[in-house]
Amino acid sequence: MTYNLIIAGIGGQGSILASRIVADAAIQAGSGVDGDLKVRVGETFGAAMRGGSVASHVRIGPDVGGPLVPKNAAQAILALEPLEGLRIGIPYLAPSGLAILNTSEVMPIDVKVGAASYPKLETIKAALESLEGRVYLLDATSLALEAGNAKTVSAVMLGAWANLAELPFALEQLKEALQGRVPPKTVSTNMKAFQLGFEAVASD
Amino acid sequence: MLLMGNEAIARGAIEAGVQVVASYPGTPSSEITESLIEQADEFGYYTQWSTNEKVAFEIAAGASLVGARSITSMKNAGLNVAMDTFMTIPYGGCKGGFVVAVADDPDAHYSSTEQDTRVLAAYAEILCMEPGDQQEAKDMTKEAFELSERFELPVMLRSVSRISHASGDVVLGDVEQGRNKIGFNKHYKVPYRWNVYGPPGARSKHEWLHRQLVDMKAYSEQSGFNEIRMVEGARTGIIGVGLGASYAQEAMQELEMHESISFLKVGIPFPLPEEKILAFLKALDRVAIIEEGDPVVENMIRVIAQCHGLDVEIVGKNAGRMFNPWGELNPDIVRKGIADFMRLSIAEDEARNAIKADIKELVTTRSSALCPGCSHLGTYWVVQKILKKIPGVHIVNGDIGCYEQGGYGEGGRKPASDEVSKKYKRSSPYETLDTIHIMGSGIGLAQGQVAAGYEDGKVLAVCGESTFFHAILPAIVNAVYNESDITFLILDNSWTAMTGHQPNPRTGMNTRGAIKPADIFDIVKSMGVKHVSRGNAFNLQEAEELLAEAVEAEGLSVLILEGECQLQNVRRNKITEGFMQVNQDTCNGCRTCVTLGCPSIKFDAVTKKASIDPITCCDCGLCTQVCPVQSISKGM
Ligand SMILES: Cc1ncc(C[n+]2csc(CCOP(=O)(O)OP(=O)(O)O)c2C)c(N)n1
């Protein structure tokens, strides 16, 4: 069985780093030539620019082939920005899949110049729920600031995911991978962010 | 170890003991050379960013002629630029292992075209390898160096975006300790080996090249990269090429057809393992071919089948088509294709699709925009302002670089009709450019428009400074020589920004350290251009005056507008503070600042006031200069 996770966001928010952390954890858990897990990370960009939509597809399992998640097959979507969660959730979220959306909105230029409107958070949540998603809204940006650095948003999201999802590896392996990938000086801030994310969804 | 496909290719080169690396950047290939540059000191080899792919190709080829193992990497379009030398080097062949890594881009995520460069390997008669995952990307690259030395020819490694920019677990191998000796032998094995005109001439060198194909075919026949898995009794088969093979295998598993379809994985699309393919085809009634890009392998297989009079049904991207010969593959397309081929029906969840169609409406587009503080924003503002004042239908010929966004159109709108082009009315920097094709094309097209007698308006062209060194120089000389009356703008932001900020001759550094930056003004002057000017792209008044003069000048005029890429400026100078602010009392809601196109500027439809996002604003000051009521100033 393949575990499919998509981390969606905007260029520069850290979705690519987060996807590599998950991939590292999976490699720890038993991939490589002799292991039976394979790992693939695929990245999809909009028009390849900064500030554009980015989604990182992470696939873990013995039969993984290509780097892209099939439609309706993402067991989990972590969205660092809510509209991006909707954009990716509609095609990819599996029925009963988990969608964790950071509530901090980043307005597209189209909205800023008054050429388009941004959907309300509740509308986004309801839309994904209409696809049978298990949807969680989380103010990850505030939690990241609480941890000490706005850039730890993706660690908050991974923490929430670790609590809500059936991980394809041990929780410890994910934490180790996180420590291994983030800049050494930010390890404790990131661990704190992870923990805050983990706890934020515990009470739900 | 988790490696991106491009890093895996770089690692393969390192394991093979690469000695010379020369490339020009191009997405999705750039990380191959970036990764090699990062590790150059550790493993001890030479690297350079060259000014274009042809030059880079020649550097790598020259190194090979004196025995070094060398690699050049490029994007699909890069091979077009290198084409002349690429076609000719095989006539003399090479000595040190020489690998040409080309990253194609099916779906044109980052490219002007979807061109499939595998055809060009066949055209040049050199071996082409195509990895199906990151492990193969590394292993094939390493082997490619050996094959290149064995056949004394360059070997092409064809990647695609979904290999190059995807990551996978890769098991590393040992790094070759020895290095090839450097030396030169004019008549190495063949008289006048490195001189296609050397007696007995090019025809005989072509014959030599063509004969090498026999050995290449023999290798392809026994290579583990081309692998058959016959299923007893199966009458249908699938041939998967490169990434197509990975998609196919996954889809077959999922459809539980693994045990009923014979499978041939092709990792060497040229030359194909003809005997293996024949054996495969002969055992089957129907075969589907799954490959990224054009039906390149498919067509060659059709030829094999026809030459041997085989009565086997072949489907792919041609007749009886299973996949479109445009766009890219993905797991869904491949699964559906295989299901149709096997006459299985996969149920669509109609109810779910209906809900999706409904909620899709909510998904606001996120149009790409130039970055906050980008010097190109100021330049396009000035271009629009000047051209609006002059009556006529002006043509602004674009080019490729970050500034190509000047032609991306505005805010998720529908395509315009041809009525729109009758009058010059533009309201956004993203509507500035009228033609965009490929690096260097704008300045040539502009000269053609003038040569044809276009008189309905001004004719301009733009390029970036990296593009200037890459493809513009001969075109400027041409404009001087042929007395073309165009206005040409060089948007100099000091970096090859579009592809991730590689240095170029203007930056003041190369891969080895600091150097004196080239002076574009002097270069243009020395080519004989009479009207050359330069100014600061962040000073709109100055830029406007200079552009007005340049547009009015008789004959060719060249204006260089300088302003460092703001992302690099912020990074290098560690700028963390500073932003602009709109005075909400005096803002009159005129939206002039909005038409600057900076993504940090917001407009509130209810209050009819503009505001600036303090987080993304980087304090470039362009908006303060455009506000007609002086409502924008430094924030606190
Ligand atoms: C033949 C070819 N090689 C490489 C590329 C990739 N590429 C696109 S634009 C560009 C150069 C951009 O630099 P510059 O002209 O300085 O403009 P900037 O992006 O800095 O505005 C490159 C290398 C390409 N499109 N075509």
Side-chain angles (χ1 to χ4, degrees):
Chain A
M1 180 65 184
T2 303
Y3 191 92
N4 292 313
L5 164 74
I6 303 184
I7 306 179
I10 290 164
Q13 279 190 318
S15 54
I16 292 174
L17 178 67
S19 66
R20 302 223 163 123
I21 291 168
V22 176
D24 283 348
I27 288 179
Q28 270 307 313
S31 108
V33 249
D34 302 323
D36 56 356
L37 277 184
K38 281 199 225 155
V39 182
R40 292 281 180 280
V41 182
E43 283 151 22
T44 68
F45 301 81
M49 303 297 158
R50 257 153 272 260
S53 308
V54 179
S56 270
H57 294 214
V58 189
R59 316 195 62 209
I60 302 164
D63 299 325
V64 173
L68 298 177
V69 172
K71 303 278 150 54
N72 304 309
Q75 281 94 326
I77 289 176
L78 307 184
L80 305 180
E81 200 279 347
L83 177 63
E84 296 314 309
L86 183 64
R87 192 185 313 282
I88 291 302
I90 295 175
Y92 291 109
L93 190 62
S96 79
L98 176 66
I100 311 175
L101 313 184
N102 178 16
T103 53
S104 174
E105 299 159 339
V106 179
M107 293 294 152
I109 188 162
D110 317 64
V111 175
K112 286 179 179 162
V113 302
S117 61
Y118 193 101
K120 290 203 173 61
L121 277 178
E122 306 84 78
T123 314
I124 292 177
K125 182 166 191 268
L128 291 177
E129 278 168 351
S130 72
L131 293 173
E132 301 158 62
R134 289 182 293 138
V135 187
Y136 289 79
L137 298 180
L138 180 67
D139 187 357
T141 302
S142 296
L143 293 173
L145 286 169
E146 191 183 325
N149 187 340
K151 287 195 177 144
T152 59
V153 172
S154 49
V156 175
M157 297 299 286
L158 288 177
W161 172 62
N163 193 348
L164 294 169
E166 251 179 67
L167 296 183
F169 35 66
L171 176 62
E172 277 316 308
Q173 284 167 325
L174 181 60
K175 287 187 181 172
E176 273 166 33
L178 174 68
Q179 290 169 359
R181 274 273 173 190
V182 298
K185 277 190 284 184
T186 68
V187 168
S188 66
T189 325
N190 271 289
M191 291 310 289
K192 190 168 172 202
F194 184 90
Q195 200 53 34
L196 286 172
F198 193 94
E199 284 158 14
V201 290
S203 50
D204 264 64
Chain B
M1 183 177 185
L2 189 74
L3 287 187
M4 195 194 217
N6 282 342
E7 294 167 338
I9 294 170
R11 174 68 195 185
I14 290 173
E15 289 181 6
V18 70
Q19 290 158 286
V20 171
V21 181
S23 307
Y24 183 72
T27 322
S29 72
S30 312
E31 297 85 357
I32 299 172
T33 294
E34 281 178 340
S35 171
L36 283 166
I37 290 170
E38 263 168 40
Q39 301 174 77
D41 286 344
E42 184 180 345
F43 295 101
Y45 46 82
Y46 173 93
T47 66
Q48 72 164 250
W49 283 122
S50 315
T51 45
N52 72 28
E53 292 86 351
K54 180 168 182 285
V55 175
F57 182 92
E58 287 154 2
I59 307 291
S64 159
L65 299 199
V66 294
R69 287 196 162 184
S70 63
I71 187 169
T72 180
S73 73
M74 61 194 73
K75 68 178 291 156
N76 55 7
L79 195 57
N80 304 344
V81 175
M83 201 61 198
D84 227 348
T85 315
F86 174 79
M87 286 303 293
T88 317
I89 282 288
Y91 273 44
C94 62
K95 188 152 178 265
F98 176 21
V99 177
V100 185
V102 185
D104 280 352
D105 189 18
D107 227 39
H109 299 279
Y110 332 86
S111 308
S112 301
T113 73
E114 294 191 294
Q115 71 176 60
D116 188 329
T117 49
R118 293 176 301 173
V119 230
L120 301 178
Y123 193 23
E125 300 180 77
I126 62 171
L127 189 112
C128 177
M129 308 177 96
E130 186 177 357
D133 60 22
Q134 288 67 33
Q135 182 72 50
E136 267 193 355
K138 180 197 78 76
D139 295 343
M140 280 183 175
T141 308
K142 185 173 191 180
E143 182 149 327
F145 282 92
E146 282 169 25
L147 295 175
S148 170
E149 283 171 11
R150 186 185 320 168
F151 307 124
E152 299 179 5
L153 282 170
V155 170
M156 180 163 143
L157 184 90
R158 188 250 192 171
S159 179
V160 292
S161 299
R162 301 292 184 193
I163 292 285
S164 279
H165 272 188
S167 305
D169 36 339
V170 175
V171 178
L172 306 188
D174 294 336
V175 174
E176 188 79 45
Q177 288 309 316
R179 291 288 181 273
N180 286 358
K181 274 216 342 249
I182 306 301
F184 185 68
N185 178 350
K186 177 167 167 165
H187 303 294
Y188 179 66
K189 293 190 188 173
V190 176
Y192 299 96
R193 179 68 190 262
W194 320 112
N195 165 4
V196 289
Y197 293 103
R203 192 208 140 279
S204 80
K205 293 216 162 67
H206 186 200
E207 188 180 335
W208 171 84
L209 167 61
H210 200 74
R211 290 188 192 284
Q212 295 302 93
L213 264 181
V214 177
D215 290 345
M216 288 191 263
K217 265 198 183 137
Y219 162 78
S220 183
E221 219 56 85
Q222 56 78 39
S223 167
F225 293 125
N226 297 322
E227 196 188 346
I228 283 191
R229 188 179 52 78
M230 276 310 206
V231 170
E232 270 277 308
R235 305 298 301 165
T236 48
I238 288 179
I239 299 178
V241 188
L243 180 60
S246 299
Y247 283 136
Q249 276 169 307
E250 186 177 325
M252 286 180 345
Q253 289 271 3
E254 215 193 306
L255 295 166
E256 292 173 359
M257 307 277 352
H258 209 61
E259 301 305 322
S260 38
I261 304 177
S262 287
F263 187 66
L264 170 61
K265 173 186 160 297
V266 172
I268 319 272
F270 188 81
L272 284 176
E274 196 166 332
E275 295 303 322
K276 251 185 204 168
I277 287 171
L278 262 181
F280 190 73
L281 297 182
K282 277 183 182 156
L284 305 168
D285 300 328
R286 304 173 64 234
V287 170
I289 296 163
I290 302 180
E291 59 188 316
E292 275 290 20
D294 295 340
V296 174
V297 168
E298 178 188 335
N299 288 349
M300 291 190 287
I301 288 177
R302 286 181 190 277
V303 170
I304 293 173
Q306 202 205 25
C307 287
H308 291 85
L310 297 185
D311 183 23
V312 49
E313 183 192 353
I314 296 172
V315 300
K317 298 186 176 188
N318 258 319
R321 156 164 133 189
M322 178 159 122
F323 304 109
N324 290 326
W326 58 78
E328 67 177 345
L329 300 176
N330 65 37
D332 301 287
I333 290 175
V334 172
R335 190 171 66 123
K336 174 149 192 335
I338 293 179
D340 288 350
F341 176 64
M342 298 307 290
R343 301 180 179 119
L344 295 173
S345 63
I346 31 182
E348 282 281 326
D349 186 340
E350 298 300 342
R352 194 173 172 86
N353 288 346
I355 299 173
K356 285 188 179 188
D358 237 23
I359 58 180
K360 247 191 203 145
E361 304 284 312
L362 297 169
V363 187
T364 311
T365 40
R366 191 177 289 281
S367 296
S368 85
L370 289 160
C371 303
C374 174
S375 56
H376 303 332
L377 286 168
T379 301
Y380 285 151
W381 167 268
V382 169
V383 170
Q384 300 233 2
K385 191 160 173 201
I386 298 282
L387 292 185
K388 255 180 219 159
K389 286 188 201 156
I390 306 170
V393 180
H394 313 303
I395 309 176
V396 186
N397 292 283
D399 206 310
I400 310 284
C402 287
Y403 53 94
E404 79 191 36
Q405 293 186 77
Y408 278 13
E410 203 184 10
R413 286 162 327 136
K414 308 221 163 30
S417 71
D418 69 349
E419 281 303 298
V420 177
S421 69
K422 301 217 168 111
K423 203 160 108 238
Y424 190 89
K425 182 175 161 291
R426 298 173 209 205
S427 54
S428 146
Y430 307 106
E431 289 288 349
T432 310
L433 303 179
D434 300 304
T435 73
I436 303 183
H437 297 86
I438 193 63
M439 293 185 75
S441 61
I443 185 171
L445 295 180
Q447 292 173 52
Q449 290 150 6
V450 171
Y454 185 79
E455 286 183 331
D456 297 351
K458 298 285 179 192
V459 176
L460 285 77
V462 305
C463 84
E465 85 292 341
S466 186
T467 304
F468 172 80
F469 296 111
H470 176 284
I472 297 289
L473 298 169
I476 293 189
V477 177
N478 188 66
V480 173
Y481 174 52
N482 287 300
E483 303 164 297
S484 188
D485 185 359
I486 61 165
T487 304
F488 187 56
L489 265 80
I490 300 171
L491 282 48
D492 177 1
N493 64 3
S494 297
W495 297 89
T496 309
M498 178 83 168
T499 44
H501 301 108
Q502 293 81 11
N504 63 50
R506 263 299 286 157
T507 316
M509 61 159 92
N510 59 26
T511 63
R512 291 168 301 284
I515 51 133
K516 186 168 171 285
D519 188 326
I520 295 182
F521 185 91
D522 283 355
I523 294 171
V524 175
K525 257 276 143 346
S526 70
M527 288 193 287
V529 181
K530 294 218 174 63
H531 187 111
V532 192
S533 50
R534 80 170 124 199
N536 178 355
F538 288 111
N539 181 338
L540 295 182
Q541 197 186 338
E542 177 182 292
E544 191 180 326
E545 284 165 16
L546 291 172
L547 182 61
E549 273 173 30
V551 169
E552 289 310 328
E554 284 270 317
L556 171 66
S557 54
V558 176
L559 168 60
I560 306 154
L561 288 175
E562 298 168 349
E564 185 177 8
C565 167
Q566 193 69 1
L567 290 174
Q568 285 300 82
N569 178 27
V570 166
R571 234 174 252 159
R572 282 187 327 111
N573 299 313
K574 308 220 171 359
I575 301 171
T576 50
E577 270 152 57
F579 58 92
M580 294 293 166
Q581 201 170 293
V582 181
N583 182 331
Q584 298 294 304
D585 298 329
T586 58
C587 171
N588 66 359
C590 70
R591 297 176 59 101
T592 306
C593 58
V594 173
T595 62
L596 180 65
C598 172
S600 291
I601 301 177
K602 291 188 218 182
F603 191 78
D604 189 315
V606 181
T607 63
K608 301 256 184 297
K609 303 270 179 194
S611 65
I612 291 167
D613 173 12
I615 296 177
T616 54
C617 173
C618 49
D619 198 20
C620 72
L622 285 174
C623 54
T624 52
Q625 298 173 58
V626 308
C627 177
V629 293
Q630 286 79 45
S631 290
I632 308 181
S633 56
K634 262 197 185 305
M636 317 276 179

